[in-house]
């Protein structure tokens, strides 16, 4: 076969040299004899291909072929990690090094505000034309920000800021005519602009003054022309008084749940206090209940807001109101939706001392025989205040035989209390007293071996054991007061939760004032000539 190929090649070669046209011929792949180098390269490729260094690791797991592929993968991974580039910045030398003289040249060509202590610009040497100034020139005006400190007066603040006595007196008269000066809260900041002095050493004249006098009012005092009179301008600030209503579910802690819902800490404390007085905190509120807090809230058109007192405290369970308390009246007490006032549970302890003798039969320490002890004795030092255990009216206050100086109170419903052995009395007959009010002081008058308080409770004129009595004080609305209360409660409950947090939409006048005025529009405005 090889001899046949050589004869064919020799024939075609001779035909080409002789210039004869050779007939067309087609050679198959097996008729072409590769050279020795080609055969050698094919053999190396066949051997590399037979190694099978990168088999599919998803096939024949655990075989020798699979472990060979795993070794190839680990080797390539190690090589990639070895040649992994670092993340440190590449340091390069600056294109030009700057010495001190070059930096000085750059500084001389720069521009900086001299008022801020800039040392830029080229400094020239002093010549004979330089003359020292007799006095440093003053600024044409000085702008200051003064703060009204705690316990500071408005006039003192003005004088401390450098306002002259005459201008300060005029400002006090103008501002005092707009609102009481003592109503300006400490911490109020006042913007002041002082003009140029007329003579050296004189105080600077007041050019303008402005401050936030109230949440809904800003005041400004201006001088229209230099040397002219000062005038006051009011700037009313639109304020929305929509109360802030917060509703959310009670979690593991009522306080934490209310704070997480955004209620202020002071409002949450007032909320818990109102529920406690009503007797609703003794395990009656459960996780899953809904609390309802409404507080007074004010928001100004300028963006500020402030919170006030708690107005409503409510608890709902399964969509039904369980507690509804609203602050109402001049005293600021909470009333239920039915018009019943807040409940005051239990008695106030008349003195902080411990009980030394209880109610019942005992041997009298002075008389020496056994008789009825119609009250309780409390140990207390001489002069300790004695407080009324609940609201009532003084029936008598004076000497009462062996009881010494004594005060007797009537609490209604047939209940009365008496406080004996006082050193001094602080109330008189017919006077109304409140729960916890001081009515006298501990002493040892009457049949007493030492200073202490003898406390008695009477029901329908008969002495009873004080430990068995638990007073409950509740107010009740009726008539026109009850009707007005329910009307205000209905209005308060119509407030949507979170409605007070929305921004106030600007009015057309406020929107027009906030937009810059074009010069062409100023031509249309009417000018008043004085």
């Amino acid at each position: 076969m090889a001899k046949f190929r050589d004869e064919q090649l020799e024939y075609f070669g001779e035909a080409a040299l002789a210039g004869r046209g050779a007939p067309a011929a087609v050679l198959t792949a097996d008729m072409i004899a590769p050279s020795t180098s080609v055969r050698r390269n094919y053999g190396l490729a066949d051997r590399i291909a037979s190694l099978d260094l990168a088999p599919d690791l998803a096939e024949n797991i655990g075989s020798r072929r699979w472990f060979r592929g795993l070794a190839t993968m680990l080797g390539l991974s190690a090589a990639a990690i070895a040649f992994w580039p670092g993340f440190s910045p590449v340091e390069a030398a600056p294109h030009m090094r700057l010495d001190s003289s070059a930096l000085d040249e750059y500084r001389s060509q720069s521009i900086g505000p001299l008022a801020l202590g800039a040392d830029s610009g080229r400094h020239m040497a002093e010549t004979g034309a330089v003359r020292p100034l007799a006095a440093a020139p003053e600024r044409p005006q000085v702008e200051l920000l003064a703060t009204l400190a705690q316990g500071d007066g408005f006039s003192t603040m003005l004088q401390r800021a450098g306002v002259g006595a005459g201008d300060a007196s005029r400002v006090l008269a103008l501002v005092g005519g707009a609102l009481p000066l003592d109503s300006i809260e400490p911490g109020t900041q006042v913007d002041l602009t002082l003009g140029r002095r007329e003579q050296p050493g004189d105080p600077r004249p007041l050019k303008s003054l402005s401050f936030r006098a109230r949440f809904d009012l800003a005041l400004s005092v201006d001088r229209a022309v230099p040397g002219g009179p000062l005038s006051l301008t009011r700037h009313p600030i639109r304020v929305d008084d929509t109360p802030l209503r917060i509703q959310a579910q009670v979690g593991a802690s009522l306080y934490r749940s209310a704070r997480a819902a955004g209620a202020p800490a002071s409002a949450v404390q007032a909320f818990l206090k109102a529920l406690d007085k009503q007797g609703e905190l003794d395990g009656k509120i459960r996780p899953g209940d809904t609390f309802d807090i409404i507080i007074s809230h004010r928001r100004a058109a300028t963006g500020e807001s402030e919170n006030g007192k708690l107005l409503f405290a409510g608890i709902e369970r399964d969509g039904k109101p369980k507690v509804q308390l609203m602050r109402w009246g001049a005293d600021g007490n909470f009333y239920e939706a039915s018009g019943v006032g807040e409940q005051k549970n239990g008695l106030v302890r008349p003195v902080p001392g411990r009980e030394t003798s209880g109610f019942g039969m005992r041997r009298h320490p002075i008389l020496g025989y056994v008789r009825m002890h119609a009250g309780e004795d409390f140990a207390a030092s001489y002069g300790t205040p004695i407080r009324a255990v609940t609201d009532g009216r003084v029936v008598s206050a004076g000497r009462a035989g062996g009881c010494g100086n004594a005060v007797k109170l009537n609490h209604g419903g047939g209940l009365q209390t008496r406080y004996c052995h006082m050193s001094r009395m602080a109330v008189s007959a017919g006077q109304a007293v409140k729960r916890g009010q001081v009515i006298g002081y501990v002493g040892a008058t009457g049949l007493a071996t030492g200073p202490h308080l003898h406390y008695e409770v009477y029901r329908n004129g008969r002495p009873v054991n004080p430990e068995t009595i638990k007073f409950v004080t509740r107010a009740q609305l009726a008539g026109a007061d009850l009707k007005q209360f329910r009307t205000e409660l209905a209005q308060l409950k119509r407030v949507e939760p979170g409605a007070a947090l929305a921004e106030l939409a600007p009015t057309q006048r406020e929107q027009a004032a906030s937009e810059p005025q074009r010069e062409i529009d100023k031509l249309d405005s009417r000018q008043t000539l004085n």
Side-chain angles (χ1 to χ4, degrees):
M1 186 66 178
K3 180 179 180 181
F4 176 73
R5 292 195 190 98
D6 294 340
E7 291 177 354
Q8 284 183 331
L9 293 174
E10 182 180 356
Y11 169 75
F12 287 113
E14 292 176 355
L17 292 175
R20 299 193 301 267
V26 178
L27 300 180
T28 60
D30 57 354
M31 297 174 62
I32 301 174
S35 62
T36 305
S37 60
V38 174
R39 287 195 299 268
R40 186 182 302 112
N41 292 336
Y42 281 162
L44 179 61
D46 292 339
R47 285 195 298 271
I48 293 175
S50 64
L51 292 178
D52 194 14
L53 296 176
D56 190 356
L57 295 180
E59 298 178 357
N60 300 324
I61 299 175
S63 62
R64 295 180 57 187
R65 181 172 176 269
W66 184 85
F67 279 107
R68 184 167 60 251
L70 179 63
T72 302
M73 183 190 69
L74 295 178
L76 293 176
S77 301
I81 295 174
F83 290 100
W84 188 270
F87 293 96
S88 59
V90 179
E91 298 183 359
H95 66 283
M96 182 178 62
R97 295 186 178 276
L98 300 177
D99 54 6
S100 59
S101 60
L103 292 176
D104 291 338
E105 186 65 22
Y106 278 124
R107 187 180 295 108
S108 67
Q109 302 299 324
S110 63
I111 299 176
L114 295 177
L116 300 180
D119 59 350
S120 60
R122 189 178 297 280
H123 299 274
M124 302 180 63
E126 182 179 348
T127 64
V130 178
R131 295 288 186 271
L133 293 175
E138 290 186 340
R139 298 180 183 178
Q141 68 180 25
V142 177
E143 296 180 354
L144 301 173
L145 180 62
T147 303
L148 184 63
Q150 184 72 33
D152 200 359
F154 202 79
S155 60
T156 306
M157 182 268 298
L158 293 176
Q159 294 177 6
R160 189 174 60 250
V163 180
D167 288 344
S169 177
R170 178 59 179 165
V171 169
L172 292 178
L174 292 174
V175 176
L179 77 165
L181 294 176
D182 55 0
S183 65
I184 303 176
E185 298 182 358
T188 301
Q189 294 184 336
V190 181
D191 291 314
L192 295 168
T193 302
L194 304 179
R196 190 189 300 272
R197 290 186 176 93
E198 296 181 0
Q199 297 293 334
D202 292 346
R204 287 178 176 268
L206 178 64
K207 189 175 181 180
S208 64
L209 175 150
S210 62
F211 67 101
R212 186 78 167 262
R214 290 197 310 258
F215 189 76
D216 57 349
L217 177 65
L219 299 178
S220 63
V221 178
D222 302 282
R223 198 187 301 272
V225 295
L230 293 171
S231 60
L232 176 72
T233 305
R234 296 170 176 264
H235 304 280
I237 301 174
R238 187 165 56 94
V239 174
D240 180 72
D241 294 326
T242 302
L244 175 60
R245 187 174 188 179
I246 303 173
Q247 285 182 326
Q249 281 192 348
V250 179
S253 169
L254 177 57
Y255 179 85
R256 293 180 180 178
S257 301
R259 293 287 288 137
S266 58
V268 179
Q269 293 174 359
F271 178 78
L272 296 177
K273 185 177 179 180
L275 295 181
D276 182 51
K277 287 185 177 180
Q278 197 67 16
E280 296 293 339
L281 287 182
D282 300 333
K284 298 182 180 180
I285 300 178
R286 301 180 303 203
D289 293 347
T290 301
F291 63 85
D292 192 355
I293 299 177
I294 303 179
I295 59 178
S296 60
H297 182 81
R298 306 179 74 192
R299 48 180 176 159
T302 52
E304 298 85 2
S305 62
E306 63 178 7
N307 297 319
K309 295 182 179 180
L310 176 69
L311 300 179
F312 178 82
I315 296 292
E316 293 184 1
R317 180 175 298 166
D318 299 330
K320 298 180 180 180
K322 183 176 183 293
V323 179
Q324 295 185 85
L325 300 175
M326 189 185 78
R327 187 188 299 272
W328 193 79
D331 53 359
N333 292 331
F334 283 90
Y335 289 80
E336 296 179 357
S338 60
V340 178
E342 63 183 9
Q343 174 177 310
K344 297 179 181 179
N345 293 324
L347 301 176
V348 172
R349 196 175 183 86
V351 290
R354 60 183 178 84
E355 180 184 348
T356 57
S357 181
F359 182 86
M361 301 297 296
R362 69 161 192 177
R363 182 178 296 275
H364 196 279
I366 296 179
L367 301 179
Y369 57 87
V370 177
R371 71 171 190 173
M372 183 66 181
H373 185 238
E376 290 179 324
D377 289 345
F378 295 94
S381 59
Y382 191 89
T384 301
I386 302 173
R387 302 182 182 276
V389 295
T390 189
D391 299 347
R393 186 171 296 275
V394 180
V395 177
S396 61
R399 196 76 180 184
C403 202
N405 294 331
V407 172
K408 192 171 187 179
L409 304 180
N410 183 15
H411 306 286
L415 292 176
Q416 293 179 332
T417 57
R418 189 167 71 156
Y419 312 81
C420 302
H421 307 308
M422 293 184 177
S423 61
R424 183 165 55 94
M425 294 169 289
V427 293
S428 56
Q431 179 181 345
V433 296
K434 293 292 184 180
R435 186 173 186 249
Q437 179 178 339
V438 177
I439 59 175
Y441 301 90
V442 172
T445 56
L447 296 178
T449 57
H452 71 284
L453 171 66
H454 176 73
Y455 166 64
E456 298 176 346
V457 178
Y458 293 87
R459 174 179 289 166
N460 297 325
R462 300 180 59 181
V464 296
N465 188 352
E467 295 182 354
T468 63
I469 300 298
K470 182 179 180 181
F471 289 127
V472 176
T473 304
R474 297 170 70 92
Q476 180 74 40
L477 298 177
D481 292 339
L482 180 60
K483 183 178 180 181
Q484 183 180 358
F485 170 80
R486 289 179 175 175
T487 301
E488 293 184 8
L489 178 61
Q491 294 176 353
L492 198 61
K493 295 190 66 177
R494 282 196 291 267
V495 176
E496 294 294 331
L501 299 178
E503 295 184 359
L504 286 177
T507 61
Q508 294 182 355
R509 183 176 181 181
E510 293 173 348
Q511 189 172 4
S514 62
E515 296 179 354
Q517 187 178 11
R518 300 179 301 175
E519 293 296 329
I520 192 173
D521 296 334
K522 295 180 181 179
L523 299 177
D524 298 334
S525 61
R526 181 176 300 177
Q527 298 181 359
T528 303
L529 300 178
N530 295 328

